[in-house]
Amino acid sequence: MIPDSEARAGLSVLPPIASQEQFSNLIGVTKATVRGFVETDALPHVKIGRQRFINIVKLVDDLKAGKTTFSRGDYQHG
């Protein structure tokens, strides 16, 4: 098990955004799974050009604030 201080240190080196492929590799799921999370607005994301990237800053902020469940529509863009 990784001590909390080491886990926090690891978060500080994450980029502000990650491609869906990068994020899928980071959390150990398929790219299709991450694409589904993005399409259902279950993960925070930003659109740059034609691609959607995971908003790592928002995700980490929400995790630090105690968010533990990520559901359809949580990050619906208005």
Side-chain angles (χ1 to χ4, degrees):
M1 183 175 197
I2 300 172
D4 284 345
S5 60
E6 287 182 36
R8 277 188 241 116
L11 289 176
S12 67
V13 298
L14 291 172
I17 62 171
S19 71
Q20 293 179 37
E21 183 174 10
Q22 290 169 325
F23 191 73
S24 70
N25 290 332
L26 181 67
I27 66 170
V29 300
T30 66
K31 185 178 173 186
T33 298
V34 173
R35 184 174 50 251
F37 292 154
V38 169
E39 289 174 356
T40 61
D41 297 317
L43 282 176
H45 58 278
V46 296
K47 186 172 183 181
I48 300 174
R50 299 179 75 187
Q51 294 185 336
R52 288 188 169 91
F53 294 84
I54 308 305
N55 183 339
I56 301 294
V57 172
K58 175 69 173 155
L59 180 62
V60 170
D61 287 348
D62 288 349
L63 289 168
K64 286 179 180 178
K67 185 168 178 65
T68 59
T69 304
F70 294 82
S71 303
R72 174 183 294 266
D74 282 358
Y75 296 97
Q76 192 168 14
H77 295 242

